[in-house]
């Protein structure tokens, strides 16, 4: 710790010169709106805030994504889930930490205003201030993991699973509640229902797990895994995941799922599928049959204990099964 | 934290220097001397606890060159007040590090203690608390400072903390466009 030198003269750089550790101790007591305002007051504070904007240091929102922490402009148009992102680097770029191995990548999805042909324009998943993007036209080419706070982008190969849904799992999701540390490791889960063409192994779900350790180490995709017998004796031969709306809790990713579309029928959601990314253990929880959950409903998945999220969603038709504490809600 | 001595020897030391045993003398950067209860100092400050345990306490005044007399007076005042208040269980736990500990609300007397300070004194105190490893005092001062920031626009924060706006007009315009909602006057 640097020595404290102090004068009693009222100085206009007194407070900006406060040690970053102490600034952090103060800022972490504030909500993100106040933190952002502090970042606008002077450059040393802004530097401290951006430097410490690692998700583990700031109290996250219940869904652990803090869009109001964004210190740059990220415009997204909400046309279905295709959201061309427009990031405008400002003159304050110099105050930002280095973007690491991809210095040029920070601008990779900057588009001229009005241009909709975005590469890496589709948002697959967002957690803890990270977004996972894919190029809709060239899905096989890979993924772009962007840290919205620093603007750093990392390019990753795509998962080796066809028609999969992606979900980001951060260290925060893996840790026990309240146990925050500096771990910035990430996992990406790619999951897809598999058509039951091979009756021998009876595979129902295929998943692929990518781990990106903290630090500069490169991440890798593990082997493609298959899970069978998850939905025993069900009338449908395979399931489809209902988009990338997921709940991550205690290392497990929960998806809403149901049978594939049949001609003339609305697609129903019949179960939740959960996969613990740490152990590979998977389980399903059937939704109550008296509730009709459809794919095209405005739907939400929530877990018991996720009370704040539940309140925020404001669902009225939540149904919970006590054994797993998993429920699905829908809104009209 | 006590010096690890044989019981008999400790008894003897106590008889010889009864007055010295209960207090520590601290010397500010500008040479002023302050007496503080040894027990409170060791309990509240990890740095002082280390010095007491390590025997590097000077009877003629332990030099704390980093801390001015005004700040040291506040530190000593805080220690003495703390020694007189009934410590609640939350205050004693010292194993949790500052930056990961859950927030502890300041107690009423602690609130009053920091409320009466000028901004400069508060600044000096938070740095002194940091230097001396006084977690609880850091909690209290950081809480107070964060309270002073809450719900204010950037301009108001600058005014409160007497911060010179070091952004250029262009940079500020850029931020203003990005974060229009963060400015109240728009």
């Amino acid at each position: 710790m640097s020595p404290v030198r102090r004068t009693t003269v009222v100085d206009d750089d007194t407070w900006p010169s406060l040690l970053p550790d102490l600034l952090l101790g103060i800022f972490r007591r504030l909500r993100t709106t106040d933190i952002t305002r502090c970042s606008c007051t002077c450059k040393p504070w802004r530097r401290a805030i951006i430097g410490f904007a690692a998700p583990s240091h700031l109290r996250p929102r219940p869904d652990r994504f803090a869009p109001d922490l964004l210190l740059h402009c990220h415009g997204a148009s909400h046309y279905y889930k295709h959201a061309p992102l427009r990031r405008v680097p400002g003159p304050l770029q110099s105050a930002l930490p280095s973007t690491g191995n991809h210095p040029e990548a920070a601008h990779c999805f900057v588009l001229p205003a009005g241009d909709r042909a975005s590469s890496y324009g589709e948002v697959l998943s967002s957690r803890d201030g990270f977004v996972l993007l894919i190029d809709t036209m060239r899905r096989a080419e890979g993924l772009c993991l962007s840290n919205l706070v620093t603007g750093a982008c990392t390019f990753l190969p795509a998962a080796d699973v066809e028609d999969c849904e992606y979900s980001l799992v951060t260290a925060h999701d893996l840790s026990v509640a309240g146990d925050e540390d500096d771990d910035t490791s990430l996992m990406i889960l790619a999951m897809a229902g598999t058509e039951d063409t091979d009756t021998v192994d009876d595979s129902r779900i295929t998943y692929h797990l990518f781990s990106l350790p903290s630090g500069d180490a490169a991440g890798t995709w593990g082997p493609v895994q298959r899970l069978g017998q998850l939905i025993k004796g069900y009338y449908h031969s395979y399931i489809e995941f209902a988009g990338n709306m997921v709940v991550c809790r205690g290392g497990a990713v929960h998806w809403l799922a149901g049978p594939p579309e049949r001609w003339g029928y609305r697609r129903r959601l019949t179960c939740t599928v959960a996969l613990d990314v740490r152990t590979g253990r998977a389980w399903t929880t059937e939704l109550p049959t008296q509730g009709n959950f459809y794919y095209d409903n405005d739907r939400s998945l929530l877990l018991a204990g996720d009370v704040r999220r539940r309140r925020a969603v404001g669902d009225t038709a939540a149904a919970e099964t006590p054994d797993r504490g998993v429920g699905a809600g829908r809104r009209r | 934290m006590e010096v690890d001595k044989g019981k008999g020897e400790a008894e003897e030391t106590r008889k010889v220097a009864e007055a010295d045993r209960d207090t520590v003398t601290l010397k500010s950067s500008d040479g002023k001397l302050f007496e503080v209860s040894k027990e409170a100092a060791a309990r509240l400050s990890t740095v002082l606890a280390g010095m007491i345990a390590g025997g590097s306490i000077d009877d003629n005044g332990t030099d704390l060159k980093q801390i001015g007399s005004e700040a040291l007076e506040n530190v000593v005042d805080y220690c003495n007040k703390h020694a007189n208040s009934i410590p609640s269980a939350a205050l004693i736990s010292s194993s949790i590090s500052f930056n990961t500990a859950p927030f502890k609300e300041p107690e009423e007397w602690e609130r009053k203690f920091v409320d009466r300070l000028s901004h400069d004194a508060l600044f000096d105190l938070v740095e002194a608390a940091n230097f001396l490893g006084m977690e609880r005092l850091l909690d209290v001062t950081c809480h107070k400072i964060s309270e002073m920031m809450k719900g204010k626009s950037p301009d108001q924060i600058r005014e409160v903390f007497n911060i010179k706006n070091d952004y250029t007009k262009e940079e500020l315009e850029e931020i203003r466009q990005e974060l229009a909602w963060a400015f109240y006057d728009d």
Side-chain angles (χ1 to χ4, degrees):
Chain A
M1 198 117 308
S2 66
V4 181
R5 38 29 313 112
R6 200 75 343 256
T7 60
T8 46
V9 182
V10 181
D11 214 341
D12 57 12
D13 64 354
T14 301
W15 288 97
S17 74
L18 199 60
L19 295 169
D21 273 6
L22 295 175
L23 281 175
L24 175 62
I26 295 162
F27 292 143
R28 64 195 283 272
R29 289 172 162 76
L30 297 172
R31 297 192 151 274
T32 48
T33 300
D34 283 319
I35 294 174
T36 313
R37 287 184 176 138
C38 284
S39 80
C40 299
T41 55
C42 63
K43 286 178 185 175
W45 283 14
R46 183 178 174 92
R47 259 178 239 125
I49 288 166
I50 293 175
F52 287 121
S56 53
H57 284 299
L58 296 167
R59 273 173 294 167
R61 302 179 347 151
D63 61 359
R64 306 199 193 92
F65 179 66
D68 54 347
L69 250 186
L70 299 187
L71 300 177
H72 326 285
C73 174
H74 288 271
S77 85
H78 299 288
Y79 174 69
Y80 191 37
K81 63 181 179 181
H82 302 278
L85 284 178
R86 200 162 68 88
R87 177 164 179 274
V88 185
L92 302 165
Q93 203 70 17
S94 57
L96 296 174
S98 152
T99 53
N101 297 332
H102 290 277
E104 76 291 346
H107 310 272
C108 74
F109 49 92
V110 178
L111 295 170
D115 187 354
R116 301 291 296 269
S118 161
S119 112
Y120 298 109
E122 181 180 339
V123 178
L124 295 170
S125 180
S126 69
R127 308 285 294 161
D128 280 356
F130 287 92
V131 286
L132 188 64
L133 304 159
I134 201 166
D135 184 339
T136 318
M137 307 306 291
R138 293 174 294 180
R139 296 184 70 96
E141 272 190 17
L143 309 164
C144 173
L145 178 70
S146 174
N147 180 337
L148 290 184
V149 179
T150 63
C153 289
T154 313
F155 294 98
L156 312 166
D160 202 9
V161 178
E162 271 183 51
D163 296 330
C164 57
E165 299 287 349
Y166 288 94
S167 175
L168 277 175
V169 184
T170 62
H172 203 108
D173 300 319
L174 299 173
S175 62
V176 185
D179 175 24
E180 294 175 29
D181 51 31
D182 291 341
D183 192 354
T184 55
S185 61
L186 270 173
M187 284 175 132
I188 298 166
L189 175 63
M191 213 168 174
T194 315
E195 191 152 12
D196 192 15
T197 48
D198 184 354
T199 47
V200 178
D201 76 355
D202 195 25
S203 297
R204 293 278 160 78
I205 286 168
T206 309
Y207 75 91
H208 208 176
L209 203 55
F210 185 91
S211 350
L212 191 69
S214 44
D216 294 332
T220 46
W221 284 103
V224 176
Q225 308 275 354
R226 287 171 207 284
L227 298 164
Q229 298 292 348
L230 263 180
I231 307 156
K232 290 183 201 113
Y234 234 59
Y235 61 87
H236 49 81
S237 61
Y238 78 105
I239 56 170
E240 278 184 4
F241 297 108
N244 50 12
M245 185 188 288
V246 299
V247 172
C248 299
R249 201 163 190 90
V253 181
H254 302 256
W255 254 283
L256 281 169
E261 192 167 13
R262 285 197 297 166
W263 179 252
Y265 290 90
R266 285 176 80 190
R267 279 179 65 186
R268 278 189 66 204
L269 296 168
T270 54
C271 62
T272 68
V273 177
L275 178 76
D276 191 321
V277 296
R278 297 165 301 185
T279 60
R281 194 173 70 90
W283 64 92
T284 59
T285 306
E286 288 187 28
L287 299 179
T289 47
Q290 65 268 34
N292 286 319
F293 302 101
Y294 291 103
Y295 189 91
D296 51 358
N297 277 357
D298 191 2
R299 62 201 178 272
S300 65
L301 173 66
L302 55 100
L303 303 183
D306 242 352
V307 190
R308 282 179 301 179
R309 181 181 166 82
R310 182 175 177 175
R311 203 174 292 141
V313 169
D315 64 305
T316 49
E320 288 177 35
T321 45
D323 53 342
R324 300 270 187 225
V326 181
R330 66 197 162 107
R331 290 176 292 161
R332 295 278 179 190
Chain B
M1 227 171 280
E2 281 289 332
V3 188
D4 193 16
K5 285 180 194 166
K7 205 183 172 188
E9 195 188 337
E11 277 295 310
E12 204 170 55
T13 316
R14 203 167 69 82
K15 275 177 201 154
V16 171
E18 185 93 37
D20 286 348
R21 209 190 161 285
D22 295 337
T23 61
V24 194
T25 310
L26 303 174
K27 196 174 179 182
S28 69
S29 59
D30 43 347
K32 287 192 185 161
L33 297 176
F34 297 93
E35 292 249 316
V36 64
S37 139
K38 189 184 261 183
E39 184 277 326
R43 182 160 48 85
L44 296 169
S45 156
T46 53
V47 171
L48 290 179
M51 289 169 93
I52 292 165
S56 53
I57 287 291
D58 189 339
D59 288 346
N60 299 321
T62 305
D63 257 330
L64 296 173
K65 291 209 172 65
Q66 322 288 359
I67 303 172
S69 57
E70 212 184 320
L72 193 55
E73 189 177 352
N74 282 322
V75 167
V76 168
D77 197 11
Y78 177 83
C79 288
N80 290 337
K81 282 203 168 82
H82 209 287
N84 296 333
S85 80
I86 302 148
S88 67
L91 307 184
I92 301 165
S93 67
S94 58
S95 58
I96 318 159
S97 88
F98 168 58
N99 273 334
T100 54
F103 304 109
K104 293 168 212 148
E105 283 293 304
E107 296 191 3
E108 189 56 33
W109 71 268
E110 291 175 314
R111 224 180 268 274
K112 281 184 187 147
F113 181 81
V114 286
D115 277 351
R116 65 179 176 83
L117 298 175
S118 73
H119 288 188
D120 274 0
L122 187 61
F123 182 92
D124 291 345
L125 186 59
V126 70
E127 290 211 321
N130 186 47
F131 178 76
L132 291 171
M134 301 177 70
E135 272 180 37
R136 181 62 196 169
L137 185 54
L138 264 180
D139 260 350
V140 174
T141 45
C142 285
H143 177 91
K144 167 68 184 169
I145 297 166
S146 73
E147 288 291 315
M148 288 155 66
M149 295 170 172
K150 271 182 194 166
K152 293 193 170 69
S153 74
D155 277 342
Q156 290 167 330
I157 296 172
R158 273 190 220 109
E159 203 179 309
V160 167
F161 292 96
N162 195 30
I163 292 170
K164 187 167 167 271
N165 187 354
D166 58 356
Y167 287 117
T168 65
K169 255 189 189 159
E170 291 76 26
E171 287 169 337
L172 210 60
E173 190 49 41
E174 182 89 16
I175 300 178
R176 199 176 278 269
Q177 281 177 9
E178 286 182 13
L179 304 165
W181 52 270
F183 294 82
Y184 276 164
D185 52 353
D186 277 359

